[in-house]
Amino acid sequence: MAAMVSRTHVGPWGLAIALDGLRVSRWQAVAPWLLAVSAVASVVISTFTDPIDLHIYVLGGAALDNPSALYDVAYLDPAHGETMPFVYPPFAAMVLYPLHFVPFWLVALAWRVGVIAGVYAVVRLCQQMMGVADKRTAMLWTAGALWLEPIVGNVKHATIGVFLMLLVMYAAHSKRWWLSGLLVGLGAGIKLTPAIAGLYFVGIRRWATAAFSAVAFLATLAVSYVVAGDRVRFFFEDFIGRDGLFTIGNDYNQSWRGGIARVLGYDAGTSPHLIVAIGVTGVLSLAAWWALGSAAAHRDQLGSLLVVMLFGLLASPVSWTAHWVWLVPLLVWLLHGPWSHRPGARVLWWAWLIVTFAAIPNQLAQLQTNRWEISRPWYEAWAGLVYPALTLATLGWIVATAVAIRRDAALTAAIPMGQSRHQSVTTAH
């Protein structure tokens, strides 16, 4: 952890990165100013983009005045002429209901500023889970993270991804079972994706938290039924299973299903290709979970949470680049976690940094005449697997690193007291 406060490697990008060999304290001295400049620039630039997701949220919330029309409302994107429906559980509409009483420009501004504050809070939680406290370094990370593809998408389109990540991060950090379970359950009630975090709590044997998260989620359904009636059933039985609802093959969809669709040239649905891909990822994720600790008391909490969330992103039918906000905690963990000094950690950090800063999926999408079309040249299709490929590389590195650590520990234990490893190997020869 000393590297976190003593070396320039803490700064990830742009304004936050220092030249190798300079002490980070020079940057920490101006960290608040760097964050302010980066945040203002991010918000100002985003004002030139229509906050599409926020329009959908506001329309969905307002539709509760007539619950039967909840899944009939949609926002027409004027830039592309595309109709975008409200695709969240009824409980999300309840949470978002007050937004339509506020001037939209004010909601958009507050939402974007809130996303930035959320990124900072997530970085601080990462630090606390790793046992450090460094507010100015967190400011540097936030200043840089605002220019990575997942966060750019959250600020620009005013999406909810960072807020949901914050709920899950705080749930993982909190020791209070009821609060952790409540946060995950409410998050799943707003959008189903945080539900995967329940596997994390099962894995670390926080049974009460896992159980209460399920109870809290069911409570959101019960409240939704009181308010929206059979719209709850409609959402689960009809709406989310509707063919053509999502453009699976879009380059922005960095799940296995999206990547496989682009390689095949069509959406194969739950095909053998998808089952094998998710199965391999699941096995590798289990191995990575094992690698990060054999007992809850000695487990790398942040690394373990990241393994679960990365698996969820690949297994989900749709994981837009804006959903991949978990790459920010991953970058923090790779650079400052307990294995940051191990071979390969810095390579992975740079690989993720370059891919997300260059916004590779976005660049690939620009090559398409019709950005929603699945068919494309083979080299563009395979390049579109960049997030899944790097995720497999990350999980594989975790496993390989654990094996190397255990092997070194076994060799060290086998060497007699007072004898060096080199001497032991020489004697053996």
Side-chain angles (χ1 to χ4, degrees), residues 85-112:
F86 183 80
V87 295
Y88 305 93
F91 184 72
M94 295 173 57
V95 173
L96 298 166
Y97 181 75
L99 297 184
H100 77 283
F101 293 110
V102 184
F104 186 80
W105 69 268
L106 183 57
V107 174
L109 176 61
W111 194 283
R112 285 163 168 160

Side-chain angles (χ1 to χ4, degrees), residues 111-127:
W111 194 283
R112 285 163 168 160
V113 172
V115 168
I116 295 171
V119 173
Y120 174 76
V122 164
V123 174
R124 290 288 291 138
L125 285 170
C126 289
Q127 292 179 325

Side-chain angles (χ1 to χ4, degrees), residues 72-94:
D72 295 326
V73 299
Y75 176 66
L76 177 61
D77 178 10
H80 303 96
E82 297 163 357
T83 300
M84 300 183 177
F86 183 80
V87 295
Y88 305 93
F91 184 72
M94 295 173 57

